[in-house]
Amino acid sequence: MAAFHYFTHNLRKSAELLGVSDTAIDVFKTPDRTLRADLTIALDDGGTATFPAYRVQFNNARGPYKGGIRFHPAADEDEVSALAAMMAVKCTVVGIPLGGAKGGVAVDPKKLSRAELFALSRAYVRAFAEHLGPDIDIPAPDVYTTPEIMAVMLDEYESIMGKSLPGMITGKPLSIGGSEARDTATARGAITVLEALLKDRGLNPSQMSAAVQGAGNAGAEAAHLLQGLGTSVIALADSRGTLVSEKGLDVEAVLATKELSGSVLNAASATAHQESAAAVLESNADILVPAALEEQITGANAEKVRASIILEIANGPITPEADDLLKTHAITVIPDVLANAGGVTVSYFEWIQNRTGERWSHSAVETKLTETMQKAYREVADFARERGVTLREAAYALALTRIVDAMKVRGRL
Ligand code: GLU
């Protein structure tokens, strides 16, 4: 769980760096609004079940609240608040005019049927509808929520409001106003940032190896894109275990096996063997890509990390304690608030298209995404170099400056 105190830890560090006042920090670190509801749905067996649900609207100084909704058993107010705050930082780092929010339902979606899942999605929207909307708060997919679920949520919202409002939610299927290139945006944005960093350091991706934790949407796409750069993907893990091949995995074949059989482990062969789920973090690959859940690299295992670069595609995969240890060992961390901001960037492009009625081509979206990520990387990397701080410290410092500025301009500070 990305606990809220991790966020305040990062915030304090950047405030010290910038000499930002405690008052500004205190105002900024308090969520604008925390919404809670118990969602009761009918089950297929005739019974009912109730799930706690949250929507935390963290800060809207720079634009409407924005952030995904996750369906996960561990979702709670603390986690959702931390993720909402990170959304505000993320949107600011990539310079898009949106604020930060996050939603969550404490549920194991794998235990629900499709009908139950859809009922839960509709119940979520009914509970929070008056606080959602294209100019208010715009949800999107997150852990275990999909374009299909976004479609159902939009349908419920529009039936409550009695009109078409496609900009109320992003990450929708293409057929109802989703954007081209949204599904691959998180991974593509992350790999764009990685490429920029490697170029800065004179490193050639085709001479490097990578280990990817997570074979869901972002992890699978990242592994695919890395292979496309000529990087040898030597470890790929899902929740059941890690598949390892020192010679490099055939990413497409492994992902196809996972699709059919449920796990990357079933692609084991003469050249690829199975290891534990945690083994991926200790792989001797040059680049480690955590693309699963939070708190994977902690004080207990940080010293075992052998990669020299970590690309945080998941939100909050490294605890602050581990972050400090990695810094001591001069391991470069490309922080989540920069690395995975490609998802919300294309969500922003989707929202623009919904509001203007335009349809942008796949290549137009990808070109704009690449430009946005390269610019964000440049700003963060330059700040980090000038101040001698980590990329995470630089990203938080830049975001804090911009958000505090917006709050001052609005007279909130
Ligand atoms: N859930 C994604 C994130 O954590 C995307 C959010 C969005 O598109 O609003 O960045």
Coordinates of all heavy atoms in Angstrom, one line a residue, residues 162-204:
G162 N -28.8 12.6 -17.8 CA -29.7 12.8 -18.9 C -29.1 13.4 -20.2 O -29.8 14.0 -21.0
K163 N -27.8 13.3 -20.3 CA -27.2 13.8 -21.5 C -25.9 13.2 -21.8 O -25.3 12.5 -20.9 CB -27.0 15.3 -21.5 CG -26.2 15.9 -20.3 CD -26.2 17.4 -20.4 CE -25.7 17.9 -19.0 NZ -25.6 19.4 -19.0
S164 N -25.3 13.4 -23.0 CA -24.0 12.8 -23.3 C -22.9 13.6 -22.7 O -22.9 14.8 -23.0 CB -24.0 12.7 -24.9 OG -22.6 12.4 -25.2
L165 N -22.0 13.0 -22.0 CA -20.9 13.7 -21.3 C -19.7 12.9 -21.4 O -19.1 12.5 -20.3 CB -21.3 14.1 -19.9 CG -22.3 15.2 -19.7 CD1 -22.9 15.1 -18.3 CD2 -21.6 16.5 -19.9
P166 N -19.2 12.5 -22.6 CA -18.1 11.6 -22.7 C -16.8 12.0 -22.0 O -16.0 11.1 -21.6 CB -17.8 11.4 -24.2 CG -18.4 12.7 -24.8 CD -19.6 13.0 -23.9
G167 N -16.6 13.3 -21.8 CA -15.4 13.8 -21.1 C -15.5 13.6 -19.6 O -14.6 14.0 -18.9
M168 N -16.5 12.9 -19.1 CA -16.6 12.6 -17.7 C -15.6 11.5 -17.2 O -15.3 11.4 -16.0 CB -18.1 12.2 -17.4 CG -18.3 11.5 -16.1 SD -18.2 9.7 -16.2 CE -18.2 9.3 -14.4
I169 N -15.2 10.7 -18.1 CA -14.3 9.6 -17.7 C -13.4 9.3 -18.9 O -13.7 9.5 -20.1 CB -15.1 8.3 -17.4 CG1 -14.4 7.4 -16.5 CG2 -15.7 7.6 -18.6 CD1 -15.3 6.4 -15.7
T170 N -12.1 8.9 -18.6 CA -11.2 8.5 -19.7 C -10.8 7.1 -19.7 O -11.1 6.4 -18.7 CB -10.0 9.5 -19.7 OG1 -9.3 9.3 -18.5 CG2 -10.4 10.9 -19.9
G171 N -10.1 6.7 -20.7 CA -9.7 5.3 -20.8 C -10.8 4.4 -21.3 O -10.9 3.2 -21.0
K172 N -11.7 5.1 -22.0 CA -12.9 4.4 -22.6 C -12.6 3.6 -23.8 O -11.6 3.8 -24.4 CB -14.0 5.4 -23.0 CG -14.5 6.4 -21.9 CD -15.5 7.4 -22.4 CE -14.9 8.5 -23.3 NZ -14.0 9.4 -22.6
P173 N -13.4 2.6 -24.2 CA -13.2 2.0 -25.5 C -13.3 3.0 -26.6 O -14.0 4.0 -26.5 CB -14.4 1.0 -25.5 CG -14.9 0.8 -24.1 CD -14.6 2.1 -23.5
L174 N -12.6 2.7 -27.7 CA -12.6 3.6 -28.8 C -14.0 3.9 -29.4 O -14.3 5.0 -29.8 CB -11.8 3.0 -30.0 CG -10.2 3.2 -29.9 CD1 -9.6 2.4 -31.0 CD2 -9.9 4.7 -30.1
S175 N -14.8 2.9 -29.3 CA -16.2 3.0 -29.9 C -17.1 4.1 -29.2 O -18.0 4.5 -29.8 CB -16.9 1.7 -29.9 OG -16.9 1.2 -28.6
I176 N -16.7 4.4 -28.0 CA -17.6 5.4 -27.3 C -16.8 6.7 -26.9 O -17.0 7.3 -25.9 CB -18.3 4.8 -26.1 CG1 -17.4 4.2 -25.1 CG2 -19.4 3.8 -26.6 CD1 -18.0 4.1 -23.7
G177 N -15.7 7.0 -27.7 CA -15.0 8.2 -27.4 C -13.7 8.1 -26.7 O -13.1 9.0 -26.3
G178 N -13.2 6.8 -26.6 CA -11.8 6.6 -26.1 C -10.8 7.1 -27.1 O -11.2 7.4 -28.3
S179 N -9.6 7.3 -26.7 CA -8.5 7.8 -27.6 C -7.7 6.7 -28.1 O -7.4 5.7 -27.5 CB -7.6 8.8 -26.8 OG -6.6 9.2 -27.7
E180 N -7.2 6.9 -29.4 CA -6.2 6.0 -29.9 C -5.0 6.1 -29.0 O -4.8 7.1 -28.3 CB -5.7 6.6 -31.3 CG -6.8 6.5 -32.4 CD -6.9 5.1 -33.0 OE1 -6.1 4.2 -32.6 OE2 -7.9 4.9 -33.7
A181 N -4.3 5.0 -28.9 CA -3.0 5.0 -28.1 C -3.2 5.2 -26.6 O -2.2 5.4 -25.9 CB -2.0 6.0 -28.7
R182 N -4.4 5.1 -26.1 CA -4.5 5.2 -24.6 C -4.1 4.0 -23.9 O -3.4 4.0 -22.9 CB -6.0 5.6 -24.2 CG -6.3 5.6 -22.7 CD -5.5 6.7 -22.0 NE -5.6 6.7 -20.5 CZ -4.9 5.9 -19.7 NH1 -4.0 5.0 -20.2 NH2 -5.0 6.0 -18.4
D183 N -4.4 2.8 -24.5 CA -4.1 1.5 -23.9 C -2.6 1.3 -23.7 O -2.2 0.6 -22.7 CB -4.8 0.4 -24.6 CG -4.5 0.4 -26.1 OD1 -4.0 1.4 -26.6 OD2 -4.7 -0.7 -26.8
T184 N -1.8 1.8 -24.6 CA -0.4 1.6 -24.5 C 0.4 2.8 -23.9 O 1.6 2.8 -23.8 CB 0.2 1.2 -25.9 OG1 -0.3 2.3 -26.8 CG2 -0.3 -0.1 -26.4
A185 N -0.4 3.8 -23.6 CA 0.2 5.1 -23.2 C 1.2 5.1 -22.0 O 2.2 5.7 -22.0 CB -0.8 6.2 -23.0
T186 N 0.8 4.3 -21.0 CA 1.6 4.3 -19.7 C 3.0 3.7 -20.0 O 4.0 4.3 -19.7 CB 0.9 3.5 -18.6 OG1 -0.4 4.1 -18.5 CG2 1.6 3.6 -17.3
A187 N 3.0 2.6 -20.7 CA 4.3 1.9 -21.0 C 5.1 2.8 -22.0 O 6.3 3.0 -21.8 CB 4.0 0.5 -21.5
R188 N 4.4 3.3 -23.0 CA 5.1 4.0 -24.0 C 5.7 5.3 -23.4 O 6.9 5.6 -23.7 CB 4.2 4.4 -25.2 CG 4.9 5.0 -26.4 CD 4.1 5.0 -27.6 NE 4.1 3.7 -28.3 CZ 5.0 3.2 -29.1 NH1 6.1 4.0 -29.3 NH2 4.9 2.1 -29.6
G189 N 5.0 6.0 -22.6 CA 5.5 7.2 -21.9 C 6.7 6.8 -21.1 O 7.7 7.5 -21.1
A190 N 6.6 5.7 -20.4 CA 7.8 5.3 -19.5 C 9.0 5.0 -20.3 O 10.1 5.4 -20.0 CB 7.3 4.1 -18.7
I191 N 8.8 4.3 -21.4 CA 9.9 3.9 -22.2 C 10.5 5.1 -22.9 O 11.8 5.2 -23.1 CB 9.6 2.8 -23.2 CG1 9.1 1.5 -22.5 CG2 10.7 2.4 -24.2 CD1 10.1 0.8 -21.6
T192 N 9.7 6.1 -23.2 CA 10.2 7.3 -23.8 C 11.1 8.0 -22.8 O 12.2 8.5 -23.2 CB 9.0 8.3 -24.2 OG1 8.2 7.6 -25.1 CG2 9.5 9.6 -24.8
V193 N 10.7 8.1 -21.6 CA 11.6 8.7 -20.5 C 12.9 7.9 -20.3 O 13.9 8.5 -20.2 CB 10.8 8.8 -19.2 CG1 11.7 9.3 -18.1 CG2 9.6 9.7 -19.3
L194 N 12.7 6.6 -20.3 CA 13.9 5.7 -20.2 C 14.9 6.0 -21.3 O 16.1 6.2 -21.1 CB 13.5 4.3 -20.1 CG 14.7 3.3 -20.1 CD1 15.4 3.3 -18.8 CD2 14.2 1.8 -20.4
E195 N 14.4 6.0 -22.5 CA 15.3 6.3 -23.7 C 16.0 7.6 -23.6 O 17.2 7.7 -23.9 CB 14.4 6.3 -25.0 CG 14.1 5.0 -25.5 CD 13.4 5.2 -26.9 OE1 12.2 5.3 -26.9 OE2 14.1 5.2 -27.9
A196 N 15.3 8.7 -23.1 CA 15.9 10.0 -22.9 C 17.0 9.9 -21.9 O 18.1 10.5 -22.1 CB 14.8 11.0 -22.5
L197 N 16.8 9.2 -20.8 CA 17.8 9.1 -19.8 C 19.0 8.3 -20.3 O 20.2 8.7 -20.1 CB 17.2 8.4 -18.5 CG 18.2 8.2 -17.4 CD1 17.6 8.8 -16.1 CD2 18.5 6.8 -17.1
L198 N 18.8 7.3 -21.0 CA 19.9 6.5 -21.5 C 20.7 7.3 -22.5 O 22.0 7.3 -22.5 CB 19.4 5.2 -22.2 CG 18.7 4.2 -21.4 CD1 18.2 3.0 -22.2 CD2 19.5 3.7 -20.2
K199 N 20.0 8.1 -23.3 CA 20.7 9.0 -24.3 C 21.6 10.0 -23.6 O 22.7 10.2 -23.9 CB 19.6 9.7 -25.2 CG 20.2 10.3 -26.4 CD 19.1 10.6 -27.4 CE 19.7 11.5 -28.5 NZ 18.8 12.7 -28.8
D200 N 21.0 10.6 -22.5 CA 21.8 11.5 -21.7 C 23.0 10.9 -21.2 O 24.0 11.6 -21.0 CB 20.9 11.9 -20.5 CG 20.2 13.2 -20.6 OD1 20.3 13.8 -21.7 OD2 19.5 13.7 -19.6
R201 N 23.0 9.7 -20.9 CA 24.1 9.0 -20.3 C 25.0 8.3 -21.3 O 25.9 7.5 -20.9 CB 23.7 8.0 -19.2 CG 22.9 8.7 -18.1 CD 22.6 7.9 -17.0 NE 22.0 8.7 -15.9 CZ 21.6 8.3 -14.8 NH1 21.8 7.0 -14.4 NH2 21.1 9.1 -13.9
G202 N 24.7 8.4 -22.5 CA 25.5 7.8 -23.6 C 25.4 6.2 -23.5 O 26.3 5.5 -23.9
L203 N 24.2 5.7 -23.1 CA 24.0 4.3 -23.0 C 23.2 3.8 -24.1 O 22.2 4.5 -24.5 CB 23.3 3.9 -21.7 CG 24.2 4.2 -20.4 CD1 23.3 4.1 -19.1 CD2 25.4 3.3 -20.3
N204 N 23.5 2.7 -24.7 CA 22.8 2.1 -25.8 C 21.8 1.0 -25.3 O 22.2 0.0 -24.8 CB 23.8 1.5 -26.8 CG 23.2 1.0 -28.0 OD1 21.9 0.8 -28.1 ND2 24.0 0.8 -29.1

